[in-house]
Amino acid sequence: MDAHRVTMLGTGLISDFYTRSLHGQRGRDRVQVVYSRSQERGQAFAERWTVPQWTTSLQDAVSSPDTDVVVVALPNDMHEQAIALAAGAGKGVLCTKPLGRSAAEAARILKIVEDAGVFAGYLEDLCYTPKTGKAVQSVRDGAVGDVLWVRSRESHPGPHSAWFWDIERAGGGAVIDLGCHCIEIIRNFVGKGNRPVEVMAWTDTLVHPIEAEDHAIALIKFESGAVGQVEVSWAFRGGMDLRDEVAGTEGTIWLNHFQRTGFEMFTTGAGSGYVAEKAESDSGWLFPVGDEVSELGYNDMFTDMFDSMDAGTQPRETFYDGYVVNAVMDAVYRSAQTRTWAPVELDWRGGSTALIRGNHGVVDGKTVIKTEILPDGRTKLILKDPATGELEDRVVTS
């Protein structure tokens, strides 16, 4: 298996998480070059992570002969330029979420890497968390039957850097920042071949003095009839709230990634320090996270990316996935403006998915709507006559 030498574009919080994971997970991949727009931050990052080279030249960073992979961990408005440079240099390219600020921008980015024939992976870490991975596999194995409804929530007190709050640079607010995670998590559960058809959404700016939205809720209808529910906020108090729920015809899944971690601690603050990403306090009741880069999916994400690169296969999260997410987010914004269902406009490559249709038993020519056990142990059926529509309660055993 190959070892990879990485150019890291960016020195913000996400670059720290990425580098910690890269240097620790497979044990042989290293960040060789780091780019920062700030000489001071670039040098500090290089010293912090023992990176041999740092530069304030984007072109020099991407074209370095000492690296074969470029990780784009830059503000959203810089993704297209950086990816074009990386593809032009023949480098594999991995891009943080969201892929673009709009579906049109994401489509251009997708075309760039496909025309260049370079490896491209979409760094959607929350689809790689250990809990999510196991839950998605359970769904694919049939544990919950047909997926009917998926709710994904991400809320926290707001992002770390000023550019996130700039609607032009970011392309939006909480939807672009957090909704992209939720949409792709939902797609993993309902199936990526299940086309997102239309969206109904509400967005508003309730707390912060910004032009972008700091709250949003959206419903996504899929071709199968399944519904995805997205909830995002930049004003949630108490840290980071990451929760997912899946309801199917045969089962239910609940996931809580950051608020109930199995590690709860009360402190007066005497031993103050870092607790977890987006934690607002270091005293009182706290919910520390034992290994953030693992729990947030970074380790499994980079393992998938580099293993796929070595094998010459597609990673689980591709640039096309990022494009689909952008198309759904565009529909969220259109729906919020029109207050109507907005179609998801995209170049769909996923085929078709049949409508969900339950398998119903038949008793005496009548359709079984529900079977339940009564408190005294008897079995009760609720039946429907398909000819007349008449409903009936029937106790069938004693």
Side-chain angles (χ1 to χ4, degrees), residues 154-183:
E154 181 170 1
S155 300
H156 57 57
H160 299 283
S161 299
W163 70 263
F164 282 96
W165 304 85
D166 183 331
I167 192 170
E168 296 300 326
R169 299 199 65 196
V175 170
I176 284 284
D177 181 33
L178 309 180
C180 58
H181 286 305
C182 299
I183 292 164

Side-chain angles (χ1 to χ4, degrees), residues 7-310:
T7 290
M8 179 66 65
L9 304 182
T11 53
L13 178 75
I14 194 65
S15 298
D16 280 322
F17 276 129
Y18 284 174
T19 304
R20 182 186 302 174
S21 179
L22 284 165
H23 286 186
Q25 174 66 350
R26 299 205 318 170
R28 57 184 179 272
D29 309 306
R30 303 290 298 181
V31 176
Q32 187 74 17
V33 178
V34 62
Y35 159 80
S36 177
R37 289 164 294 161
S38 160
Q39 185 173 6
E40 180 181 3
R41 289 197 303 272
Q43 185 172 3
F45 187 95
E47 292 173 355
R48 185 160 65 249
W49 295 108
T50 319
V51 175
Q53 305 170 47
W54 60 271
T55 179
T56 57
S57 168
L58 187 61
Q59 178 66 63
D60 289 350
V62 168
S63 60
S64 170
D66 298 323
T67 65
D68 63 294
V69 180
V70 175
V71 173
V72 180
L74 294 168
N76 299 348
D77 62 318
M78 298 182 68
H79 288 188
E80 186 173 3
Q81 176 193 8
I83 290 167
L85 289 173
K91 304 284 183 78
V93 58
L94 310 177
C95 183
T96 193
K97 62 80 193 174
L99 185 60
R101 292 172 293 176
S102 66
E105 187 169 81
R108 292 196 302 270
I109 291 171
L110 177 62
K111 187 175 188 303
I112 287 168
V113 296
E114 290 183 339
D115 286 351
V118 297
F119 181 92
Y122 181 48
L123 298 181
E124 179 40 85
D125 57 286
L126 293 185
C127 292
Y128 286 94
T129 72
K131 291 176 185 174
T132 302
K134 191 164 188 176
V136 169
Q137 188 58 53
S138 295
V139 169
R140 290 175 180 168
D141 290 341
V144 304
D146 291 323
V147 175
L148 303 171
W149 171 81
V150 183
R151 174 194 182 205
S152 186
R153 173 179 175 82
E154 181 170 1
S155 300
H156 57 57
H160 299 283
S161 299
W163 70 263
F164 282 96
W165 304 85
D166 183 331
I167 192 170
E168 296 300 326
R169 299 199 65 196
V175 170
I176 284 284
D177 181 33
L178 309 180
C180 58
H181 286 305
C182 299
I183 292 164
E184 191 62 359
I185 288 168
I186 291 167
R187 289 188 68 232
N188 271 267
F189 280 118
V190 303
K192 289 188 180 180
N194 199 348
R195 181 172 183 157
V197 177
E198 56 183 347
V199 172
M200 173 64 80
W202 161 85
T203 67
D204 208 343
T205 308
L206 300 176
V207 177
H208 300 97
I210 57 174
E211 285 68 44
E213 77 287 349
D214 59 13
H215 286 79
I217 298 172
L219 296 177
I220 308 165
K221 288 178 63 176
F222 289 87
E223 187 178 23
S224 70
V227 173
Q229 181 173 327
V230 173
E231 302 173 12
V232 295
S233 170
W234 273 354
F236 174 79
R237 306 312 301 267
M240 184 152 63
D241 184 12
L242 299 176
R243 281 180 282 164
D244 304 311
E245 301 175 29
V246 183
T249 55
E250 302 297 332
T252 303
I253 295 172
W254 294 345
L255 301 174
N256 193 328
H257 302 275
F258 243 64
Q259 288 290 304
R260 289 293 183 270
T261 62
F263 183 175
E264 301 181 20
M265 176 176 68
F266 179 84
T267 175
T268 61
S272 62
Y274 181 80
V275 176
E277 183 184 351
K278 305 296 193 305
E280 291 195 277
S281 174
D282 57 8
S283 63
W285 278 107
L286 305 175
F287 309 103
V289 180
D291 183 351
E292 283 187 274
V293 294
S294 176
E295 288 301 311
L296 288 172
Y298 299 118
N299 287 347
D300 287 345
M301 177 180 72
F302 280 115
T303 296
D304 175 50
M305 292 295 164
F306 287 127
D307 284 353
S308 298
M309 195 179 302
D310 293 342

Side-chain angles (χ1 to χ4, degrees), residues 311-368:
T313 58
Q314 290 288 306
R316 282 164 45 193
E317 295 294 325
T318 68
F319 273 24
Y320 179 74
D321 291 316
Y323 159 69
V324 174
V325 169
N326 269 118
V328 175
M329 291 192 292
D330 280 3
V332 169
Y333 286 122
R334 288 198 306 273
S335 175
Q337 290 177 345
T338 63
R339 301 189 178 185
T340 60
W341 285 95
V344 178
E345 299 171 356
L346 79 164
D347 173 18
W348 180 245
R349 302 177 180 178
S352 61
T353 302
L355 281 169
I356 297 168
R357 287 292 180 263
N359 295 317
H360 306 291
V362 177
V363 174
D364 296 337
K366 297 182 179 181
T367 304
V368 179

